Amino acid sequence: MRSLKQNILAGLLSGLSLVAATAVAAEEKIKIVASFSILGDMVEQVIGEHASVTTIVGPDADAHIYQPSLADARSVADADVIFVNGLGFETWSDTLIAESGTKATVHIATDGITPVLVDAEVDPHAWNSLLNGVVYVTNIADVLKQKLPEHANDIDANTSAYIAKLNALDAKTKAALAELGDDKRTVVTAHDAFGYLADAYGMNFLAPGGIDSEAEPSAQELAQLKQDGAAALFVENIASPALVQQISDETGLEIGGRLFSDALSERDGPATSYLAMFEHNLGTLLEALK
Ligand SMILES: [Zn+2]
């Protein structure tokens, strides 16, 4: 029989080794930083539990005008892999990455996507077409399989299952929006975030606020909206509803609901993932335009 002292010692040692094992496991997980919430969700869908994923611009926040915090600089400095949208979306990311001194590799999720131009400016909101979403996810998976070849099978399985869902929702969106009459295809949002959705699904989005969510519309632009045959008006989760309310007051167009353009919702909201966000936007459009 072991003495009490031996038992305490054994307990202590197994406790210590448990702490050590946990520390090693935590250290072994690579650290991925994604620049904004929609991209962070895509990365999580691809990698599952095999990495820790940190997102810089969180739910309901505007990445165009984001100002990184000290905590962001620390996350970037500690990261092994960084994913950004690119196409000029994150105006702050190059400086943040350079000044953090990070050794992480930086990857542009929109690589291979043909950009849409709005008034000669590149539209960065490429995720608002689901087939572009498939390109993002494929790019993310390619990078992560190189970084974590030991998890390549899991990454492949996660990626195929996820892409199947994106393709299914793409087909559903095309079929649903094809039913709309021609007088129901033009809608107004505060900023120009849905050019890719418009192109992919035969819609026309007007945005007096321009592409980067900062500009204010002129009276002339407001008058033009009615002439252009706008059928509904939508507020966005990342922007104050004041501008859209003003447009509604001045044009008599009704506000048809809230679209999630550049960020997911908070955890209790309707758009906690890229898929849920797209599904919510589709439902909101159809409800207002039917
Ligand atoms: Zn935007």
Side-chain angles (χ1 to χ4, degrees), residues 25-59:
E27 266 169 32
E28 277 174 357
K29 273 198 183 182
I30 71 160
K31 296 191 186 78
I32 304 175
V33 167
S35 58
F36 71 117
S37 56
I38 298 167
L39 187 55
D41 175 55
M42 291 177 180
V43 172
E44 280 175 357
Q45 299 296 332
V46 169
I47 197 63
E49 62 187 10
H50 298 306
S52 75
V53 181
T54 305
T55 291
I56 296 181
V57 185

PDB file of all heavy atoms in Angstrom, residues 25-59:
ATOM      1  N   ALA A  25      -0.792  21.489 -25.775  1.00  0.00           N
ATOM      2  CA  ALA A  25      -1.878  21.435 -26.761  1.00  0.00           C
ATOM      3  C   ALA A  25      -2.271  22.837 -27.196  1.00  0.00           C
ATOM      4  O   ALA A  25      -2.494  23.090 -28.369  1.00  0.00           O
ATOM      5  CB  ALA A  25      -3.082  20.711 -26.173  1.00  0.00           C
ATOM      6  N   ALA A  26      -2.338  23.758 -26.227  1.00  0.00           N
ATOM      7  CA  ALA A  26      -2.726  25.126 -26.562  1.00  0.00           C
ATOM      8  C   ALA A  26      -1.668  25.781 -27.444  1.00  0.00           C
ATOM      9  O   ALA A  26      -1.985  26.500 -28.376  1.00  0.00           O
ATOM     10  CB  ALA A  26      -2.938  25.935 -25.290  1.00  0.00           C
ATOM     11  N   GLU A  27      -0.409  25.501 -27.137  1.00  0.00           N
ATOM     12  CA  GLU A  27       0.681  26.091 -27.922  1.00  0.00           C
ATOM     13  C   GLU A  27       0.704  25.549 -29.348  1.00  0.00           C
ATOM     14  O   GLU A  27       1.064  26.253 -30.272  1.00  0.00           O
ATOM     15  CB  GLU A  27       2.029  25.777 -27.263  1.00  0.00           C
ATOM     16  CG  GLU A  27       2.506  26.878 -26.333  1.00  0.00           C
ATOM     17  CD  GLU A  27       3.685  26.418 -25.503  1.00  0.00           C
ATOM     18  OE1 GLU A  27       4.478  25.586 -25.999  1.00  0.00           O
ATOM     19  OE2 GLU A  27       3.801  26.898 -24.362  1.00  0.00           O
ATOM     20  N   GLU A  28       0.303  24.288 -29.504  1.00  0.00           N
ATOM     21  CA  GLU A  28       0.414  23.669 -30.825  1.00  0.00           C
ATOM     22  C   GLU A  28      -0.618  24.198 -31.816  1.00  0.00           C
ATOM     23  O   GLU A  28      -0.409  24.117 -33.004  1.00  0.00           O
ATOM     24  CB  GLU A  28       0.291  22.145 -30.700  1.00  0.00           C
ATOM     25  CG  GLU A  28       1.614  21.512 -30.309  1.00  0.00           C
ATOM     26  CD  GLU A  28       1.486  20.035 -30.043  1.00  0.00           C
ATOM     27  OE1 GLU A  28       0.357  19.507 -30.111  1.00  0.00           O
ATOM     28  OE2 GLU A  28       2.518  19.411 -29.760  1.00  0.00           O
ATOM     29  N   LYS A  29      -1.748  24.689 -31.324  1.00  0.00           N
ATOM     30  CA  LYS A  29      -2.751  25.221 -32.242  1.00  0.00           C
ATOM     31  C   LYS A  29      -2.227  26.496 -32.898  1.00  0.00           C
ATOM     32  O   LYS A  29      -1.793  27.409 -32.210  1.00  0.00           O
ATOM     33  CB  LYS A  29      -4.033  25.563 -31.469  1.00  0.00           C
ATOM     34  CG  LYS A  29      -4.977  24.397 -31.335  1.00  0.00           C
ATOM     35  CD  LYS A  29      -6.372  24.891 -30.981  1.00  0.00           C
ATOM     36  CE  LYS A  29      -7.294  23.694 -30.788  1.00  0.00           C
ATOM     37  NZ  LYS A  29      -8.667  24.096 -30.488  1.00  0.00           N
ATOM     38  N   ILE A  30      -2.263  26.534 -34.226  1.00  0.00           N
ATOM     39  CA  ILE A  30      -1.798  27.752 -34.871  1.00  0.00           C
ATOM     40  C   ILE A  30      -2.820  28.869 -34.674  1.00  0.00           C
ATOM     41  O   ILE A  30      -4.007  28.620 -34.476  1.00  0.00           O
ATOM     42  CB  ILE A  30      -1.453  27.551 -36.366  1.00  0.00           C
ATOM     43  CG1 ILE A  30      -2.719  27.342 -37.199  1.00  0.00           C
ATOM     44  CG2 ILE A  30      -0.471  26.429 -36.573  1.00  0.00           C
ATOM     45  CD1 ILE A  30      -2.469  27.632 -38.670  1.00  0.00           C
ATOM     46  N   LYS A  31      -2.307  30.077 -34.716  1.00  0.00           N
ATOM     47  CA  LYS A  31      -3.173  31.242 -34.478  1.00  0.00           C
ATOM     48  C   LYS A  31      -3.443  31.942 -35.807  1.00  0.00           C
ATOM     49  O   LYS A  31      -2.523  32.353 -36.508  1.00  0.00           O
ATOM     50  CB  LYS A  31      -2.494  32.211 -33.513  1.00  0.00           C
ATOM     51  CG  LYS A  31      -2.274  31.644 -32.120  1.00  0.00           C
ATOM     52  CD  LYS A  31      -1.850  32.765 -31.169  1.00  0.00           C
ATOM     53  CE  LYS A  31      -1.481  32.227 -29.801  1.00  0.00           C
ATOM     54  NZ  LYS A  31      -0.126  31.617 -29.777  1.00  0.00           N
ATOM     55  N   ILE A  32      -4.732  32.038 -36.112  1.00  0.00           N
ATOM     56  CA  ILE A  32      -5.146  32.685 -37.358  1.00  0.00           C
ATOM     57  C   ILE A  32      -5.880  33.971 -37.022  1.00  0.00           C
ATOM     58  O   ILE A  32      -6.722  33.984 -36.119  1.00  0.00           O
ATOM     59  CB  ILE A  32      -6.083  31.761 -38.173  1.00  0.00           C
ATOM     60  CG1 ILE A  32      -5.418  30.413 -38.433  1.00  0.00           C
ATOM     61  CG2 ILE A  32      -6.489  32.435 -39.485  1.00  0.00           C
ATOM     62  CD1 ILE A  32      -6.320  29.394 -39.119  1.00  0.00           C
ATOM     63  N   VAL A  33      -5.547  35.032 -37.726  1.00  0.00           N
ATOM     64  CA  VAL A  33      -6.285  36.284 -37.591  1.00  0.00           C
ATOM     65  C   VAL A  33      -7.014  36.550 -38.907  1.00  0.00           C
ATOM     66  O   VAL A  33      -6.420  36.453 -39.985  1.00  0.00           O
ATOM     67  CB  VAL A  33      -5.348  37.465 -37.249  1.00  0.00           C
ATOM     68  CG1 VAL A  33      -6.056  38.799 -37.430  1.00  0.00           C
ATOM     69  CG2 VAL A  33      -4.856  37.328 -35.805  1.00  0.00           C
ATOM     70  N   ALA A  34      -8.303  36.849 -38.814  1.00  0.00           N
ATOM     71  CA  ALA A  34      -9.086  37.266 -39.987  1.00  0.00           C
ATOM     72  C   ALA A  34      -9.473  38.723 -39.780  1.00  0.00           C
ATOM     73  O   ALA A  34      -9.769  39.142 -38.659  1.00  0.00           O
ATOM     74  CB  ALA A  34     -10.338  36.404 -40.131  1.00  0.00           C
ATOM     75  N   SER A  35      -9.482  39.487 -40.860  1.00  0.00           N
ATOM     76  CA  SER A  35      -9.658  40.932 -40.713  1.00  0.00           C
ATOM     77  C   SER A  35     -11.068  41.341 -40.313  1.00  0.00           C
ATOM     78  O   SER A  35     -11.253  42.335 -39.644  1.00  0.00           O
ATOM     79  CB  SER A  35      -9.273  41.640 -42.013  1.00  0.00           C
ATOM     80  OG  SER A  35     -10.067  41.150 -43.077  1.00  0.00           O
ATOM     81  N   PHE A  36     -12.095  40.571 -40.721  1.00  0.00           N
ATOM     82  CA  PHE A  36     -13.465  40.963 -40.356  1.00  0.00           C
ATOM     83  C   PHE A  36     -14.342  39.734 -40.177  1.00  0.00           C
ATOM     84  O   PHE A  36     -13.948  38.624 -40.533  1.00  0.00           O
ATOM     85  CB  PHE A  36     -14.052  41.964 -41.361  1.00  0.00           C
ATOM     86  CG  PHE A  36     -14.389  41.394 -42.719  1.00  0.00           C
ATOM     87  CD1 PHE A  36     -15.698  41.388 -43.176  1.00  0.00           C
ATOM     88  CD2 PHE A  36     -13.402  40.891 -43.545  1.00  0.00           C
ATOM     89  CE1 PHE A  36     -16.020  40.887 -44.440  1.00  0.00           C
ATOM     90  CE2 PHE A  36     -13.711  40.374 -44.808  1.00  0.00           C
ATOM     91  CZ  PHE A  36     -15.020  40.373 -45.259  1.00  0.00           C
ATOM     92  N   SER A  37     -15.536  39.938 -39.618  1.00  0.00           N
ATOM     93  CA  SER A  37     -16.328  38.829 -39.078  1.00  0.00           C
ATOM     94  C   SER A  37     -16.753  37.803 -40.130  1.00  0.00           C
ATOM     95  O   SER A  37     -16.752  36.597 -39.855  1.00  0.00           O
ATOM     96  CB  SER A  37     -17.558  39.374 -38.346  1.00  0.00           C
ATOM     97  OG  SER A  37     -18.337  40.212 -39.186  1.00  0.00           O
ATOM     98  N   ILE A  38     -17.111  38.250 -41.323  1.00  0.00           N
ATOM     99  CA  ILE A  38     -17.580  37.315 -42.358  1.00  0.00           C
ATOM    100  C   ILE A  38     -16.439  36.380 -42.758  1.00  0.00           C
ATOM    101  O   ILE A  38     -16.604  35.156 -42.848  1.00  0.00           O
ATOM    102  CB  ILE A  38     -18.119  38.089 -43.581  1.00  0.00           C
ATOM    103  CG1 ILE A  38     -19.333  38.944 -43.156  1.00  0.00           C
ATOM    104  CG2 ILE A  38     -18.483  37.148 -44.721  1.00  0.00           C
ATOM    105  CD1 ILE A  38     -19.756  39.997 -44.183  1.00  0.00           C
ATOM    106  N   LEU A  39     -15.259  36.958 -42.933  1.00  0.00           N
ATOM    107  CA  LEU A  39     -14.072  36.174 -43.279  1.00  0.00           C
ATOM    108  C   LEU A  39     -13.676  35.245 -42.123  1.00  0.00           C
ATOM    109  O   LEU A  39     -13.292  34.085 -42.352  1.00  0.00           O
ATOM    110  CB  LEU A  39     -12.936  37.148 -43.621  1.00  0.00           C
ATOM    111  CG  LEU A  39     -11.634  36.605 -44.169  1.00  0.00           C
ATOM    112  CD1 LEU A  39     -11.859  35.745 -45.406  1.00  0.00           C
ATOM    113  CD2 LEU A  39     -10.682  37.754 -44.496  1.00  0.00           C
ATOM    114  N   GLY A  40     -13.800  35.737 -40.897  1.00  0.00           N
ATOM    115  CA  GLY A  40     -13.495  34.913 -39.719  1.00  0.00           C
ATOM    116  C   GLY A  40     -14.370  33.665 -39.676  1.00  0.00           C
ATOM    117  O   GLY A  40     -13.891  32.567 -39.375  1.00  0.00           O
ATOM    118  N   ASP A  41     -15.652  33.830 -40.002  1.00  0.00           N
ATOM    119  CA  ASP A  41     -16.559  32.678 -40.031  1.00  0.00           C
ATOM    120  C   ASP A  41     -16.136  31.678 -41.103  1.00  0.00           C
ATOM    121  O   ASP A  41     -16.097  30.471 -40.853  1.00  0.00           O
ATOM    122  CB  ASP A  41     -17.999  33.142 -40.275  1.00  0.00           C
ATOM    123  CG  ASP A  41     -18.951  31.965 -40.442  1.00  0.00           C
ATOM    124  OD1 ASP A  41     -18.995  31.103 -39.542  1.00  0.00           O
ATOM    125  OD2 ASP A  41     -19.634  31.884 -41.482  1.00  0.00           O
ATOM    126  N   MET A  42     -15.785  32.165 -42.286  1.00  0.00           N
ATOM    127  CA  MET A  42     -15.349  31.248 -43.354  1.00  0.00           C
ATOM    128  C   MET A  42     -14.123  30.442 -42.897  1.00  0.00           C
ATOM    129  O   MET A  42     -14.056  29.229 -43.113  1.00  0.00           O
ATOM    130  CB  MET A  42     -14.966  32.032 -44.607  1.00  0.00           C
ATOM    131  CG  MET A  42     -16.135  32.704 -45.324  1.00  0.00           C
ATOM    132  SD  MET A  42     -15.453  33.658 -46.713  1.00  0.00           S
ATOM    133  CE  MET A  42     -16.929  34.362 -47.410  1.00  0.00           C
ATOM    134  N   VAL A  43     -13.173  31.124 -42.256  1.00  0.00           N
ATOM    135  CA  VAL A  43     -11.954  30.443 -41.788  1.00  0.00           C
ATOM    136  C   VAL A  43     -12.316  29.371 -40.766  1.00  0.00           C
ATOM    137  O   VAL A  43     -11.831  28.237 -40.831  1.00  0.00           O
ATOM    138  CB  VAL A  43     -10.944  31.458 -41.196  1.00  0.00           C
ATOM    139  CG1 VAL A  43      -9.781  30.734 -40.535  1.00  0.00           C
ATOM    140  CG2 VAL A  43     -10.450  32.424 -42.270  1.00  0.00           C
ATOM    141  N   GLU A  44     -13.222  29.703 -39.848  1.00  0.00           N
ATOM    142  CA  GLU A  44     -13.635  28.723 -38.828  1.00  0.00           C
ATOM    143  C   GLU A  44     -14.326  27.521 -39.453  1.00  0.00           C
ATOM    144  O   GLU A  44     -14.136  26.385 -39.015  1.00  0.00           O
ATOM    145  CB  GLU A  44     -14.556  29.384 -37.794  1.00  0.00           C
ATOM    146  CG  GLU A  44     -13.770  30.172 -36.762  1.00  0.00           C
ATOM    147  CD  GLU A  44     -14.652  30.943 -35.778  1.00  0.00           C
ATOM    148  OE1 GLU A  44     -15.887  30.904 -35.932  1.00  0.00           O
ATOM    149  OE2 GLU A  44     -14.070  31.581 -34.882  1.00  0.00           O
ATOM    150  N   GLN A  45     -15.147  27.768 -40.487  1.00  0.00           N
ATOM    151  CA  GLN A  45     -15.837  26.653 -41.150  1.00  0.00           C
ATOM    152  C   GLN A  45     -14.819  25.695 -41.778  1.00  0.00           C
ATOM    153  O   GLN A  45     -15.016  24.486 -41.784  1.00  0.00           O
ATOM    154  CB  GLN A  45     -16.781  27.166 -42.251  1.00  0.00           C
ATOM    155  CG  GLN A  45     -17.894  28.085 -41.772  1.00  0.00           C
ATOM    156  CD  GLN A  45     -18.878  27.405 -40.833  1.00  0.00           C
ATOM    157  OE1 GLN A  45     -19.077  26.189 -40.901  1.00  0.00           O
ATOM    158  NE2 GLN A  45     -19.471  28.176 -39.945  1.00  0.00           N
ATOM    159  N   VAL A  46     -13.733  26.249 -42.310  1.00  0.00           N
ATOM    160  CA  VAL A  46     -12.725  25.433 -43.002  1.00  0.00           C
ATOM    161  C   VAL A  46     -11.833  24.688 -42.007  1.00  0.00           C
ATOM    162  O   VAL A  46     -11.555  23.503 -42.189  1.00  0.00           O
ATOM    163  CB  VAL A  46     -11.870  26.323 -43.937  1.00  0.00           C
ATOM    164  CG1 VAL A  46     -10.650  25.564 -44.451  1.00  0.00           C
ATOM    165  CG2 VAL A  46     -12.712  26.836 -45.105  1.00  0.00           C
ATOM    166  N   ILE A  47     -11.409  25.351 -40.957  1.00  0.00           N
ATOM    167  CA  ILE A  47     -10.375  24.776 -40.086  1.00  0.00           C
ATOM    168  C   ILE A  47     -10.958  24.017 -38.896  1.00  0.00           C
ATOM    169  O   ILE A  47     -10.283  23.174 -38.303  1.00  0.00           O
ATOM    170  CB  ILE A  47      -9.381  25.866 -39.614  1.00  0.00           C
ATOM    171  CG1 ILE A  47      -8.096  25.231 -39.060  1.00  0.00           C
ATOM    172  CG2 ILE A  47     -10.001  26.805 -38.595  1.00  0.00           C
ATOM    173  CD1 ILE A  47      -7.316  24.432 -40.061  1.00  0.00           C
ATOM    174  N   GLY A  48     -12.244  24.289 -38.551  1.00  0.00           N
ATOM    175  CA  GLY A  48     -12.825  23.588 -37.396  1.00  0.00           C
ATOM    176  C   GLY A  48     -12.052  23.872 -36.136  1.00  0.00           C
ATOM    177  O   GLY A  48     -11.731  25.019 -35.853  1.00  0.00           O
ATOM    178  N   GLU A  49     -11.697  22.800 -35.401  1.00  0.00           N
ATOM    179  CA  GLU A  49     -11.063  22.973 -34.095  1.00  0.00           C
ATOM    180  C   GLU A  49      -9.535  23.010 -34.170  1.00  0.00           C
ATOM    181  O   GLU A  49      -8.869  23.078 -33.146  1.00  0.00           O
ATOM    182  CB  GLU A  49     -11.506  21.832 -33.175  1.00  0.00           C
ATOM    183  CG  GLU A  49     -11.062  20.486 -33.720  1.00  0.00           C
ATOM    184  CD  GLU A  49     -11.618  19.291 -32.941  1.00  0.00           C
ATOM    185  OE1 GLU A  49     -12.496  19.514 -32.087  1.00  0.00           O
ATOM    186  OE2 GLU A  49     -11.160  18.161 -33.211  1.00  0.00           O
ATOM    187  N   HIS A  50      -8.986  22.947 -35.371  1.00  0.00           N
ATOM    188  CA  HIS A  50      -7.534  22.779 -35.481  1.00  0.00           C
ATOM    189  C   HIS A  50      -6.733  24.075 -35.409  1.00  0.00           C
ATOM    190  O   HIS A  50      -5.529  24.074 -35.642  1.00  0.00           O
ATOM    191  CB  HIS A  50      -7.188  22.048 -36.784  1.00  0.00           C
ATOM    192  CG  HIS A  50      -7.769  20.673 -36.861  1.00  0.00           C
ATOM    193  ND1 HIS A  50      -7.563  19.727 -35.875  1.00  0.00           N
ATOM    194  CD2 HIS A  50      -8.567  20.084 -37.777  1.00  0.00           C
ATOM    195  CE1 HIS A  50      -8.205  18.621 -36.193  1.00  0.00           C
ATOM    196  NE2 HIS A  50      -8.827  18.809 -37.347  1.00  0.00           N
ATOM    197  N   ALA A  51      -7.389  25.181 -35.134  1.00  0.00           N
ATOM    198  CA  ALA A  51      -6.656  26.448 -34.986  1.00  0.00           C
ATOM    199  C   ALA A  51      -7.476  27.354 -34.100  1.00  0.00           C
ATOM    200  O   ALA A  51      -8.668  27.133 -33.903  1.00  0.00           O
ATOM    201  CB  ALA A  51      -6.449  27.103 -36.350  1.00  0.00           C
ATOM    202  N   SER A  52      -6.842  28.392 -33.559  1.00  0.00           N
ATOM    203  CA  SER A  52      -7.637  29.411 -32.873  1.00  0.00           C
ATOM    204  C   SER A  52      -7.758  30.609 -33.814  1.00  0.00           C
ATOM    205  O   SER A  52      -6.784  31.055 -34.408  1.00  0.00           O
ATOM    206  CB  SER A  52      -7.002  29.790 -31.540  1.00  0.00           C
ATOM    207  OG  SER A  52      -5.882  30.587 -31.749  1.00  0.00           O
ATOM    208  N   VAL A  53      -8.993  31.061 -33.992  1.00  0.00           N
ATOM    209  CA  VAL A  53      -9.274  32.121 -34.971  1.00  0.00           C
ATOM    210  C   VAL A  53      -9.706  33.392 -34.229  1.00  0.00           C
ATOM    211  O   VAL A  53     -10.619  33.354 -33.404  1.00  0.00           O
ATOM    212  CB  VAL A  53     -10.391  31.683 -35.954  1.00  0.00           C
ATOM    213  CG1 VAL A  53     -10.664  32.779 -36.981  1.00  0.00           C
ATOM    214  CG2 VAL A  53     -10.016  30.373 -36.641  1.00  0.00           C
ATOM    215  N   THR A  54      -9.020  34.485 -34.534  1.00  0.00           N
ATOM    216  CA  THR A  54      -9.359  35.789 -33.958  1.00  0.00           C
ATOM    217  C   THR A  54      -9.797  36.709 -35.090  1.00  0.00           C
ATOM    218  O   THR A  54      -9.182  36.710 -36.153  1.00  0.00           O
ATOM    219  CB  THR A  54      -8.120  36.414 -33.267  1.00  0.00           C
ATOM    220  OG1 THR A  54      -7.622  35.496 -32.312  1.00  0.00           O
ATOM    221  CG2 THR A  54      -8.471  37.724 -32.582  1.00  0.00           C
ATOM    222  N   THR A  55     -10.859  37.460 -34.844  1.00  0.00           N
ATOM    223  CA  THR A  55     -11.356  38.397 -35.852  1.00  0.00           C
ATOM    224  C   THR A  55     -11.086  39.818 -35.390  1.00  0.00           C
ATOM    225  O   THR A  55     -11.270  40.125 -34.218  1.00  0.00           O
ATOM    226  CB  THR A  55     -12.874  38.171 -36.041  1.00  0.00           C
ATOM    227  OG1 THR A  55     -13.057  36.902 -36.664  1.00  0.00           O
ATOM    228  CG2 THR A  55     -13.476  39.241 -36.918  1.00  0.00           C
ATOM    229  N   ILE A  56     -10.627  40.675 -36.294  1.00  0.00           N
ATOM    230  CA  ILE A  56     -10.317  42.050 -35.886  1.00  0.00           C
ATOM    231  C   ILE A  56     -11.594  42.902 -35.852  1.00  0.00           C
ATOM    232  O   ILE A  56     -11.982  43.389 -34.804  1.00  0.00           O
ATOM    233  CB  ILE A  56      -9.240  42.669 -36.806  1.00  0.00           C
ATOM    234  CG1 ILE A  56      -7.925  41.871 -36.622  1.00  0.00           C
ATOM    235  CG2 ILE A  56      -9.016  44.138 -36.449  1.00  0.00           C
ATOM    236  CD1 ILE A  56      -6.776  42.360 -37.431  1.00  0.00           C
ATOM    237  N   VAL A  57     -12.239  43.114 -36.982  1.00  0.00           N
ATOM    238  CA  VAL A  57     -13.463  43.933 -36.998  1.00  0.00           C
ATOM    239  C   VAL A  57     -14.655  43.016 -36.719  1.00  0.00           C
ATOM    240  O   VAL A  57     -14.962  42.134 -37.510  1.00  0.00           O
ATOM    241  CB  VAL A  57     -13.660  44.648 -38.345  1.00  0.00           C
ATOM    242  CG1 VAL A  57     -14.874  45.574 -38.273  1.00  0.00           C
ATOM    243  CG2 VAL A  57     -12.415  45.443 -38.722  1.00  0.00           C
ATOM    244  N   GLY A  58     -15.307  43.230 -35.591  1.00  0.00           N
ATOM    245  CA  GLY A  58     -16.314  42.299 -35.101  1.00  0.00           C
ATOM    246  C   GLY A  58     -17.702  42.518 -35.696  1.00  0.00           C
ATOM    247  O   GLY A  58     -17.879  43.285 -36.650  1.00  0.00           O
ATOM    248  N   PRO A  59     -18.707  41.842 -35.096  1.00  0.00           N
ATOM    249  CA  PRO A  59     -20.087  41.939 -35.569  1.00  0.00           C
ATOM    250  C   PRO A  59     -20.596  43.380 -35.623  1.00  0.00           C
ATOM    251  O   PRO A  59     -20.242  44.193 -34.760  1.00  0.00           O
ATOM    252  CB  PRO A  59     -20.878  41.151 -34.512  1.00  0.00           C
ATOM    253  CG  PRO A  59     -19.880  40.295 -33.839  1.00  0.00           C
ATOM    254  CD  PRO A  59     -18.568  40.977 -33.937  1.00  0.00           C
TER     255      PRO A  59
END
